Structures are given as structure tokens and as C-alpha cells.
Amino acid sequence: MDFLKNNAAEEARCQTAMTVKMASIAVYALGFFLAMVLCNFVHFLLRPVSQPRIISEAMVGMFLSNIPGIRKALDDAETQRTLNYIVDAIMMCHMFVMGLEIDPNIFQHLHLPETKVAYSGVLATFVLGNFLIPPLKMSSDVMVNVGLCLVLSGTASPLLTRIITDLKIGKSDIGRFVVAAGVHADVVSTLLISLGFIVFDPTHKFQTRDARSVVKMLTSLMFQTVVASRAARVVMDWVNHENPEGKSMKGSHLVIAIAFVVLVCTISPYLAMFNKVLSAFLAGLFMPREGRISKMMISKVNYIFTTIFYPLFFLWVWTTAELSKFGAHRWQTWVNVVCLFLITTFGKVVGSLVSGIMLGFNWPESVAIGLLLNTKGHFQVFLAVYGPSSNVIPGPLGLSVVFMTFLTIVYTPLVVAKIIGWARKRSPTRKMALQWLNASDGLRILLCLRGKQNLSCAINFIEISRGTVDPGITIYLADMIELTDRVAATVTTNQGGVDAVTITDPEVIRMRDEINSSVQDYISSECSDGITVKQMMALSTLNSMHQDVCILAEDLRAHMVVMPFHKNRTPDGRLDTGNSGFRHVNRKVLRHAPCSVGILVDRGLGDITVSKTSICLNAAVIFIGGKDDREALSYVGRVARHSGVKLTVIRFLLEAGEDSVASRINKAKAESSEHQEEMKLDDECFAQFYDRHVASGRVAYREKYLVNSSQTYSTLRSLEGQYELFIVGRGGRVNSVLTVGMNDWEECPELGLIGDILSSSDYSIATSVLIIQQHSVKGKLDGLQEGFSIM
């Protein structure tokens, strides 16, 4: 009987324990679900003030951790232990992916400006912290203060990158600079923390480890690094080879890859008791980041963490960190938080200012860079909470670092807004395009030359673009001179005058004199009234030549920049392979120019003698639709006034009666408001041109009714040999069925679909092409291009 009673009592206890455990799991799951839902809701509420998602996650975590039912369930020892395991896994994956995204050859770029700014900020913050933190008496342990200074010196590069991207400045020069500098600061601070862990034992009050333990850790880390950099490449390359892009990933191969990653990350913790979170970072840093499997791990982990695990992370933060011991009622506690914030902020700003002065940056940009590099994130919060829970640092100090971390995040939208404000002040306030040019204003064109080979074509371009005598046209003829070592040795700085520098290189002087002489001969002719030509110079390396061109265009308030095609005409009339450096210059000018841009492909235009007494040039403009075609049509309005040019406008229209698949697709797309608005603008622009030039008989007009892009291509081929000059828009068309799919055989995308076909090597060798792109200030930043430049 006693045995049966004891057995029944044991079963009752087991059932009660199981009931309690199931209730704890239910409350835990409810808290987890509420965390995800509330994070999305709070993030939606904070969106008008552009606060990052981490702020909403922290707020929701604090709120849920103080709900009695959830708090009681999370305070259970077993639940807390499970939560600690989950957070450890989260941080290991977070640090592994962070390391995987970083180039392991990062320290080979120490000469870059981003590196100098990052390291000066880390150094200034570390030194300043070691001077100012001890008087605050947050901790009596010197090594704790040193470790705290290392944490303050760091930058949360993943969070900073996400903030920069979400606030739409990731494509700007300062956005790219801050992201690169943040990665450098993050790597060096994390490596210093890793080095400190090797030398000092945080679990024993930062006592210096014995030589045997240090050697053991270093040896295990070296072995782990070799496995990560060598053996991992073999495994990853095999998985990538067996699972190419476009093919579904085999489950067994995915398991092998993940298992190998886990094995590499646990080598040093298993062999030498090295910290598992830091080990994951070092393993990811030296693993190959190319290939499908690495990209998949980065994308999947980042997505899952953002949507699921980061809310759980902050639930752990506020559950583990005991707010009751923070001392929020004491003013000294908040003084410590503010002092930590001021130390890290002042250190980063001073470091950025000093390095910025040495690099020639403006001080407002240097301050903004320092403020953004001050961003702390998940790793700093993890260290601040993990320290007190492991009895490494006092609890109030850890919570002070947590609150300081959030202070470094909340102001980032204000800094970015200030940067955007600076960029708007320096950007054009109106569209510098021919379509919007007032009839009473003279046309200003920046015409760029690469050398004498572009001169005859440029003079004919000036001639056909002259328009009426009043208000006339101003041509700024810019000689693009590559700054080579030979040319740089002959550059002297002027104290005043038009050009800031003078070049004494004999070849450059001879070239500029010949260009100037030919232009003056043209200007002094009896038929060049209303034309003003001013010679300019763009002296720079090919990497930054586009900046000089764009600055010239902005300073001169030019309506259009005309660039020569990167390929030159050979004696047999064909085009050579061209200069790839100038091709990149053209592409960058198309992207960054503060006005409309034209690319002039010379295949005989310079050989023609354009005269006003007789027709000597047959030109055609092809109009399909879109803003670039409208800009081309606006330019053609000036060409139409030249008596020596026979101009034809060819409009490509979609066959209305055709009941093909392409026609049905186009009808469906035409129902969109954007397409209807573009068609309306096309019709209005073309109607104005028709009334001014076609109706009077000055310009010929042809229509081509087409069904698809195949007929567009064949029609363009049928025009071969009929005209010496084509003028076309680069693109900017909305859902045009007449050009869809034509980019599959593009040779030079910078010329656009139509321009690329007309300029191709198998087209007429006697046909020149002018491709025009209309300036647009409309972007995702309310009138500011995403790729703006302020540095």
C-alpha cells in the first residue's frame, strides 16, 4: 500500500511539473508572438520620425518583460536557461554573418580615407574614455574600464548600414563613405576585444591568463583560421558547383554546409575555451563570401533575425537585466548614462574632425560622419547585459551602456536629414533641360572634347545647334585632359584668372592652341552671329573626370552636357575598340550630371561642311515616347531652324488594330496612371513641335506603325544609309512594347536601346548619332537624386 501511495504521489508531482512546464511554454510562446506583432506595430507608429527598427524592438521588449504573467514564466530557471541558449545562438549567427560580409583583406586598404577616419575615431574614443571614465567611479577595476572603453570605441556596422540604406543615402558619397568606415571601426574594435579575451580572463576579474592558456588559445584560433580560409573554400566550392544558380538547393548539401560552418565556429571554444560569439565572428571573417551558399546564409539569416529573433533578443535583454537594481530614482545614474554618451560621441566626432582636416573634408561633413560612426547596436547591448549576468561588471554599469546605446541610435535620422538638407542646397532647384528652357533665355551647352579628333564634329554640332540669333547660344568648349604623371609634373597653380591651374606640357599646349585656333576661325566667319564659344578645361584623372565635368556644368548653369563617344573613327570609317576609361566617364556623367546629357557618336559628321546656303545634311529624329525622346525633340527644334539641314521626324506608333499578345499586353499596361500621364505628355510635346515646324513645311514627317520590338529593329535597319545624323532619346520610356527585349543584344547600354542599334558596328559607317538624356531631379528623396554628392 505504501508503495502504491508513493507511486501515485510521484505521478501527481510529475503531472503538476508537466502542467507548469506546458503553461510556461504557452506563456513563452505568447510573449514571443506578441513581441513580433507589437514590434511591427510600434515600428509603423515610429515611421514618421524615421526611427530604426531596433528602437521599436527595445521598447516592445521592455514592455513585455514587465507584464506579470510573462515575467513570471521567464523568471523560471529552466526557461531562462533555454532563453540564454537561444540568445547565444542568435549572437553567434549575428557575428558570423557580420564577419562573412566583410572582406578579409580589409587591412590591405589602410591608405584609404575611410580607414583613416574610422581608426582615428576608435583611437580618440578609447583615449578619451580612459581619461574620463575612472573619475565617474562606475567601477573600481581598471580592466573593466579599459574593456568599457573598447565597447564605446566600436561601431555597429550592420545596424549602421541598414539605417543608411533605409534613409535612402546609401548611394551617396557620404553614405558609402560612412558604411565603409563603419566596417573598419567595427572590425578593429571587435579584434581588440578578442585580443583582450585571449590575454585576460573576464570570468576571474580580468586576471592575466598564464602563458600556456594564451598559447593554447592562439594555436586553436590559428588552426580555426586555416580551416575557415582553406578547408571551408573546398567544401563551399563543392556545394556551389553541385548547386548552381537557378537550380534548387539539395537538402543534404545544405545540411553539410551548415554542419561544416558550425564545426568551424566551435573549434576554438571546444579546444581552448575561447568565447563562442567572438569565435563565430573570426570564423566568418576568414570564410569565403563568394558563391551561392554564402550569399544564401547572409540573406536568410539577416531576414530571419530581423523578423523573428531580434524581438526575442530584446525580450531577453530586459528579462536578464534587472531594472530594479539600475537605480533610476538616483540622479547620478542618469548622469553616468549621459556622460558615457558624451564621451563616445565626443570621441568619434573629434577623431573624424582631426582626420577630416588632414584629408581636406569640410567640418560639417566630418561632424556628421563622426555622429553616424557613433552608432552602437546588438553586439554592444549583448556585452552590456552578458557582463552583469556573468558577474564581470556591475549591473547598473551594464544598464547604463544599454541606455547609452539607444541614445546613439535615436539621433541618426536627424543627422541624415541634415545631410540631405545640405545636398538639396547644392543641387539644382529646377530642371536644367531643353524642354523647360524659356524662349527668351539663351541655350548654354558644355561641349566636351577628348582631343583634336573631336574638333570638326564639335564645330558642325555647334553650327546645327545655333538656332536663332536672338537669344543665341553659348558653347563652353571643355578640353578633357587626363592627369597623368607626365602632365601633373607640368601643372602650376594660378593666383587668379579663369583657370585655376596652367599646364606647361608642350603636347597639351599644342593641342589646346590648335583647338582654339580652329574655333576662332569658325567664329570669325561671316555666318556665325549669335554664337559665343568659351574655351574651358577639365583636368583630372579618369576616375574623377566626371566630377570636374559635373562641377563645370553646375557652375556654368549649362542646360546640356555633350560628351564624345569613347570610340574613335578609324580611317576606313569604322569605330575602334575605344577607351574604356572614358566610357566610364560617360556613364558617370549620365548618372550625376546636373543637366541633360548628350553623347555624340561621330561617324562622318565632322567630314561634312555644313552651310546655310544649301542643304548638306540629312538628319532624322526618332520619336517613340518618354522624357528622353521629348528632350531630343526639343533640341531638334533648334536644328530645324538651320537652312542647311534637311530634317525628318519619324514617329514610331503601336499598331492599334493588331490583336497580338504584345498588343494585349500593351493595352493592359496602358491602363496604369503613369503610362497614361506619359502618353499625354508625349502627345502634347509632339503636337507643339508639329504646329511649329511640321505644319509650316520646314520639317518632314513620317509615321511607322509597328507591332513589337522585332519590327522596331527591322525598321531601324531599313533606314540605314538614308541619313547622315540620327537624333534619339536614350530611354525613359514607360512600358513600351516597341522596345521590350531589345536590351538583350546591347553593346553599349549608355547609348540606350535605339542609340546602341544605330551606333553598332554592323550599321552604316556614314551615320552619326546624337543620344540625349533629359535631366530629372525627381528621386526617392523628394527632388534629390539618391546618388547625390556633398563631399
Side-chain angles (χ1 to χ4, degrees), residues 112-154:
L112 295 178
E114 299 93 323
T115 307
K116 297 174 182 177
V117 171
Y119 294 169
S120 61
V122 171
L123 180 61
T125 307
F126 182 76
V127 173
L128 190 66
N130 278 290
F131 272 106
L132 299 181
I133 288 179
L136 296 176
K137 297 180 180 180
M138 296 183 185
S139 174
S140 58
D141 194 328
V142 176
M143 294 309 302
V144 170
N145 292 333
V146 173
L148 178 60
C149 292
L150 282 177
V151 173
L152 298 182
S153 303

Side-chain angles (χ1 to χ4, degrees), residues 464-479:
I464 66 175
S465 306
R466 60 190 303 169
T468 57
V469 175
D470 186 23
I473 183 174
T474 301
I475 300 291
Y476 299 97
L477 206 61
D479 303 320

Side-chain angles (χ1 to χ4, degrees), residues 396-408:
L397 176 57
L399 280 170
S400 297
V401 175
V402 171
F403 284 110
M404 177 276 301
T405 298
F406 299 134
L407 289 180
T408 64

